[in-house]
Amino acid sequence: MVSRKGSSDTRAIVCILTDRFKVSNNWVSHLSFVTILGVAGFVLALKDSRFRNLRLFSATEKDDAFLVPGLQNLGNNCFLNVILQALASCKDFRSFLEWVIEDARDTVTSELDQHFPLTFALSALLQVGRRRSVSNPREVMLALTDYARNFNLTSQQDAAEALLHLISSLQQEIVFCYRPLQSSNLSDILFSRNLRMLAPSEGLHGLMELKRWHQHLRGPFDGILGSTLMCRTCSSQISLEFQFFHTLPLSPLPHSGGSNIMFGCTLESCLKKFLDTEKVENFFCHRCWHGAALKYLSVIGAAETDIEKLRSCGGDDQCDCKTSLVLERMPWSNSYSHILKQLIISRFPKLLCIQVQRASFNMYGESFKLTGHIAFPLVLDLSLFAPSPIGLNEEEGIQMSSKYQKASRNSGDNLYRLVTVVEHFGITGSGHYTVYRSVRVASQEEGEEECEELRWFSISDSEVSRVSESDVLGAEASLLFYERV
């Protein structure tokens, strides 16, 4: 996927390719302008120093007999190809698709692939094994188009947005067989407990059906993010909200006024910034106001009935104490309250996708891309980002955080292994996507036990190359996929 504006290099490459292919009419008949641009984008990516001296994958090499197929670019769909390669490297996602298909066989008796076209297309495409060196994503694109009709898969798109559309489309497809008793409204499906399958078994299997429904809807990318709002002045919790997430959007630390990311920026520092407590300005704390109002009425010698009415008020945002007790003139400033907001990862997903938000805007409202490297680990320990309750003092918070980290390390639930890195070349809104993906290959030396070897590949559509871990860790990541250990 290459910018239409392009550079002089892009135009030159397109001209050369066009001239070369004019030699044969047969080649010209099968070559679209979009294909030329795709090749040009790959050539530009190769010009980057990180892509030099890469060894192109060869099926004839004995060491590389375990094939990692490339994907055809059918017209500006490199953004989808990198997502499909990422999903292929996620064992838990492939297992999830297989589980859905097997479970659906007990529900839908005929034409299973017609009821689950996207699930079947993905499962077939993402199979790991010895297969041809280039696969065609056409079936997945056709199935995805039925659900995401307003998302053009043959024009330049954002890879993170493509992932969200794909996950959402899968959920829509799976919900076909799992609905509430009286309503098919999606909000009811998400939150109702009165759920049942369209073709359920009777009797004691009801709870099993409900459990199976929840397993279906809670896919491997589903996590829960909690948001708490608390007043440190009166130690009251104002709100506690939860929302599902499929990706974590992290903002890198930029140089002041520049388009480069701050030197030494790490994924851990971005996560810490995302989850850190922040002060909320000019927020009205009703409990603080009621406490101040009680003191005010006592000072001015108000009637005891008014004081008692105020004291018995619940202090929510629907009360009319300010107007009924003539307290509009009471001196008050929202700065008297110290309101803090904090995000907490309440439920960790099996597969953690982190989106590095490189798109930014200057003072004139013009978009630009933040360039530069963000250091990321091969193994990410999320127990280091334990929630520190903002209602506690610093010492209590440190003690609770330490206990949480110790429990998490013992369980191992919060250790994640890097499986895929997506990289973008170009400017905001246009360019070319490539991907680094890992594959675990069983290997056995003579006289030794069989073990798994981790191999990394760099993939640009149909082109596949073997690379080292250092090449992967040097990428300017746009998306990072981690799998729970």
Side-chain angles (χ1 to χ4, degrees), residues 22-82:
K22 282 181 179 177
V23 174
S24 170
N25 291 331
N26 291 333
W27 277 98
V28 173
S29 64
H30 295 290
L31 185 68
S32 68
F33 185 68
V34 171
T35 305
I36 296 176
L37 288 179
V39 176
F42 174 65
V43 174
L44 289 178
L46 285 176
K47 293 183 67 177
D48 188 279
S49 59
R50 286 163 291 162
F51 274 79
R52 292 173 185 167
N53 302 321
L54 293 182
R55 180 167 56 89
L56 287 182
F57 177 80
S58 173
T60 60
E61 296 181 32
K62 182 179 179 180
D63 186 49
D64 289 334
F66 191 96
L67 299 183
V68 176
L71 292 174
Q72 291 181 8
N73 190 318
L74 304 180
N76 282 336
N77 64 297
C78 64
F79 65 90
L80 181 62
N81 283 349
V82 294

Side-chain angles (χ1 to χ4, degrees), residues 252-298:
L253 306 174
H255 277 297
S256 56
S259 61
N260 294 326
I261 294 173
M262 183 181 296
F263 179 77
C265 181
T266 66
L267 183 66
E268 291 87 346
S269 64
C270 294
L271 264 171
K272 185 177 184 301
K273 176 186 174 185
F274 180 73
L275 298 173
D276 261 356
T277 301
E278 60 177 310
K279 185 176 180 181
V280 180
E281 301 290 346
N282 202 33
F283 189 92
F284 186 88
C285 176
H286 291 272
R287 186 169 175 180
C288 283
W289 181 89
H290 279 73
L294 279 173
K295 296 178 181 178
Y296 178 75
L297 290 181
S298 299

